[in-house]
Amino acid sequence: VNAPSDSGLRIRPYRDPDQAAVVALWRACGLTRPWNDPASDIAHCLKSREAALLVGEDAGGRVVASVMVGQDGHRGWMYYVAVDPDRQKSGYGRALVAAAEAWHNARGVPKSMLLVRAENARVIAFYRALGYEVEERVLMTRWLKTPPAPPGP
Ligand SMILES: CC(C)(COP(=O)(O)OP(=O)(O)OC[C@H]1O[C@@H](n2cnc3c(N)ncnc32)[C@H](O)[C@@H]1OP(=O)(O)O)[C@@H](O)C(=O)NCCC(=O)NCCS
């Protein structure tokens, strides 16, 4: 995980001092939502042995990319796939997804999966370029705590 990828991105595990940069990255990429507090999402991930948060540093050591990975013994998941908007289209996203797949593969998980919000359809082209296919499924959920108020007008 630590060697720089072909793109020059160095992907390594998240460390506490990265928090401000990672939260800023997620905000810049539009990945935060009122019901997902980024700091508690990170804390929750770090507590799990079946999940990890990886960050990508550029040559100058600046955190410019992230991916959160997890596995449930059946499938591998990725979340918070993010590249600094000023650094996109340089192969960093490809390197992140490869790192997530390697993390899954190392744990014997046969399939990597991710969810794309319907309004984020533009990233479908990105994942297609990496060999991902759209599988039609109905996603069903239920809140286990009080759901957040819907966004205001
Ligand atoms: C999606 C995202 C991670 C892609 O990162 P990136 O560093 O720009 O991607 P790469 O440069 O590695 O691109 C890899 C391939 O995908 C293609 N691609 C990337 N963005 C694309 C787009 N918007 N439309 C079409 N193709 C795209 C590239 O052309 C490239 O293909 P190639 O290597 O054959 O030329 C980045 O745009 C991002 O952070 N977006 C905001 C956050 C987000 O929506 N994340 C996904 C949550 S599900």
Side-chain angles (χ1 to χ4, degrees), residues 79-122:
Y79 308 88
Y80 288 117
V81 175
V83 174
D84 181 326
D86 294 336
R87 312 298 292 276
Q88 292 177 5
K89 306 273 173 145
S90 312
Y92 289 178
R94 184 184 285 277
L96 289 172
V97 171
E101 291 170 350
W103 192 95
H104 294 149
N105 205 29
R107 286 155 186 81
V109 174
K111 195 175 190 185
S112 296
M113 322 236 297
L114 57 107
L115 293 171
V116 177
R117 293 193 184 97
E119 68 268 24
N120 200 358
R122 76 179 186 98

Side-chain angles (χ1 to χ4, degrees), residues 7-119:
S7 63
L9 193 69
R10 180 179 292 274
I11 299 174
R12 60 159 176 84
Y14 169 94
R15 299 188 291 254
D16 285 337
D18 299 325
Q19 180 169 318
V22 167
V23 174
L25 170 71
W26 291 354
R27 291 201 200 290
C29 285
L31 294 179
T32 55
R33 289 295 180 274
W35 55 89
N36 286 347
D37 171 43
S40 60
D41 261 15
I42 292 171
H44 200 65
C45 173
L46 298 180
K47 274 190 296 190
S48 172
R49 292 172 51 198
E50 303 303 341
L53 178 56
L54 306 178
V55 298
E57 281 181 3
D58 66 8
R62 199 166 75 85
V63 170
V64 294
S66 75
V67 58
M68 187 182 282
V69 286
Q71 68 108 4
D72 54 23
H74 180 59
R75 297 292 184 236
W77 288 91
M78 61 186 96
Y79 308 88
Y80 288 117
V81 175
V83 174
D84 181 326
D86 294 336
R87 312 298 292 276
Q88 292 177 5
K89 306 273 173 145
S90 312
Y92 289 178
R94 184 184 285 277
L96 289 172
V97 171
E101 291 170 350
W103 192 95
H104 294 149
N105 205 29
R107 286 155 186 81
V109 174
K111 195 175 190 185
S112 296
M113 322 236 297
L114 57 107
L115 293 171
V116 177
R117 293 193 184 97
E119 68 268 24

Side-chain angles (χ1 to χ4, degrees), residues 118-131:
E119 68 268 24
N120 200 358
R122 76 179 186 98
V123 306
I124 292 173
F126 161 73
Y127 288 111
R128 280 196 198 281
L130 303 187

